[in-house]
Amino acid sequence: MPSPKRSIHVVAGVITDARGRILLNRRTEDRDMGGLWEFPGGKREAGETSEQALVRELREELGIEAEIGEWVMDVPQLYPDKRLRLEVRRISSWKGSPRGREGQAITWVTPDKLSRYSMPPADLPVVAALRHPDRYLITPEPAADHAQAHHDWHQRLAQALAAGVNRIQLRTPASPARVALAEQAIGAHRGRVQWLLNRDIALARRLGVGVHLGSEQVLQLDARPLPADQLVAASCHDLAQLQAAQRLGCDFAVLGPVQASASHPGAAPLGWEAFEQLREQVSLPLYALGGLHPGDITEARRHGAQGIAAISSLWPAVGAG
């Protein structure tokens, strides 16, 4: 039997300057994963709290005295030689001028450029959590193909947008009338929303929006189906699908069901422990799916998700609001 991997707890800080730029450290070449960029921080030693560890590490690495702010997320990550848990905290303020006190390069990066920097696997989901929405709406199909049902659907969509949802998977293109419905929604809200069409790569390419791949599509494709400026996501239920989505270069995946849900009535729920065991084996940003509500976002982030994906809990009732 292979020997159990050592477990380490690392605490990292998101340091943001007055211009909104985020500080990154570059790992020196003599270290594991040398040359990669990361959020500054380090290992929590025995007897330390996370706050104490991060204050110490930022003093040693950057020469600053930091005030530790709100928790962002935890990322469990499996490496060949260790099992790591990356805890991420915001730095609310600091004294001193950050500099690389251990010979490392540092740089300030605007959030939209973070993805250009090569990072260790555990840091990649953090970038997604900092830059992208913590909830992903999957629209239900209209009740019927007639004018009133379509009007109700548009009304609910407008209410969801008003509530702050701005990353949406459209599940409507199944008939000419529903393709038209999707086109209307995209045309009316294109600048406000990151749109992804369920499964229909050709239509997504034609409309210039993203695509959300089904779990079987992920295993069948051998290359990313859309260019980098159009989102590609995937539904995943096991490790093989997650690894295939990562190989394809998907921007994120949805993993579940975590809990029992009406949309997956025959599927056995994963539970959070199994979700985390799958999460740690890929670096892909993930949304947790299955019986979840906005109140579950914090729990999802404790297990390495950037948020939740949902139908019913994110889709307003008729007349809501």
Side-chain angles (χ1 to χ4, degrees):
M1 288 181 63
S3 59
K5 291 181 169 60
R6 62 193 176 98
S7 294
I8 63 171
H9 188 131
V10 170
V11 191
V14 178
I15 302 174
T16 307
D17 71 4
R19 295 166 56 185
R21 300 177 304 172
I22 294 171
L23 189 145
L24 296 180
N25 248 351
R26 191 173 193 180
R27 297 175 71 88
T28 54
E29 295 297 338
D30 59 341
R31 298 176 63 194
D32 184 30
M33 294 183 283
L36 298 184
W37 294 88
E38 64 184 0
F39 298 97
K43 182 179 175 183
R44 192 176 79 178
E45 302 293 351
E48 284 185 317
T49 66
S50 295
E51 292 83 356
Q52 290 168 340
L54 189 51
V55 166
R56 175 183 53 75
E57 287 285 349
L58 296 181
R59 182 187 300 127
E60 293 171 357
E61 285 188 1
L62 301 173
I64 62 174
E65 294 298 325
E67 291 284 337
I68 309 304
E70 67 180 9
W71 171 85
V72 177
M73 70 185 303
D74 282 12
V75 182
Q77 192 71 50
L78 196 62
Y79 289 102
D81 62 335
K82 60 180 177 284
R83 174 171 271 113
L84 179 142
R85 186 167 207 88
L86 177 64
E87 178 183 348
V88 184
R89 303 286 294 267
R90 289 191 182 273
I91 303 305
S92 54
S93 64
W94 71 91
K95 295 178 182 178
S97 298
R99 62 192 189 282
R101 294 189 67 220
E102 298 176 340
Q104 81 278 22
I106 67 170
T107 189
W108 292 95
V109 183
T110 55
D112 62 311
K113 300 212 171 39
L114 284 171
S115 59
R116 298 183 183 182
Y117 288 76
S118 296
M119 293 183 172
D123 291 72
L124 298 176
V126 183
V127 173
L130 293 174
R131 291 193 58 214
H132 299 301
D134 61 8
R135 58 205 73 192
Y136 178 39
L137 167 63
I138 304 166
T139 63
E141 296 194 5
D145 268 347
H146 56 67
Q148 185 58 48
H150 287 196
H151 172 78
D152 290 345
W153 187 92
H154 276 296
Q155 183 182 50
R156 292 194 190 194
L157 176 63
Q159 291 165 356
L161 295 179
V165 171
N166 61 6
R167 178 174 275 185
I168 300 176
Q169 178 192 154
L170 286 170
R171 297 176 70 227
T172 56
S175 68
R178 292 186 181 181
V179 169
L181 187 73
E183 290 176 330
Q184 289 172 357
I186 292 167
H189 306 289
R190 182 180 290 272
R192 298 175 57 193
V193 177
Q194 298 174 5
W195 295 106
L196 296 95
L197 293 181
N198 180 262
R199 297 174 181 269
D200 196 330
I201 298 168
L203 184 59
R205 188 177 290 120
R206 178 168 72 80
L207 297 179
V209 297
V211 69
H212 186 103
L213 303 171
S215 55
E216 79 291 344
Q217 288 177 294
V218 172
L219 298 175
Q220 293 164 358
L221 290 169
D222 56 9
R224 181 184 171 98
L226 294 176
D229 61 351
Q230 290 174 254
L231 290 172
V232 177
S235 291
C236 297
H237 310 291
D238 58 31
L239 182 59
Q241 292 165 2
L242 284 172
Q243 291 173 331
Q246 185 160 286
R247 283 195 301 272
L248 285 177
C250 287
D251 297 288
F252 64 91
V254 169
L255 176 60
V258 176
Q259 299 174 0
S261 70
S263 59
H264 295 80
L270 286 172
W272 285 117
E273 183 178 351
F275 179 95
E276 183 169 314
Q277 289 171 353
L278 292 169
R279 143 84 291 159
E280 70 178 5
Q281 297 181 72
V282 293
S283 59
L284 198 61
L286 298 181
Y287 288 98
L289 172 76
L292 302 175
H293 299 76
D296 296 309
I297 290 172
T298 297
E299 185 68 17
R301 287 195 163 193
R302 292 196 188 285
H303 299 280
Q306 75 180 73
I308 64 157
I311 302 175
S312 60
S313 71
L314 295 177
W315 188 245
V318 174

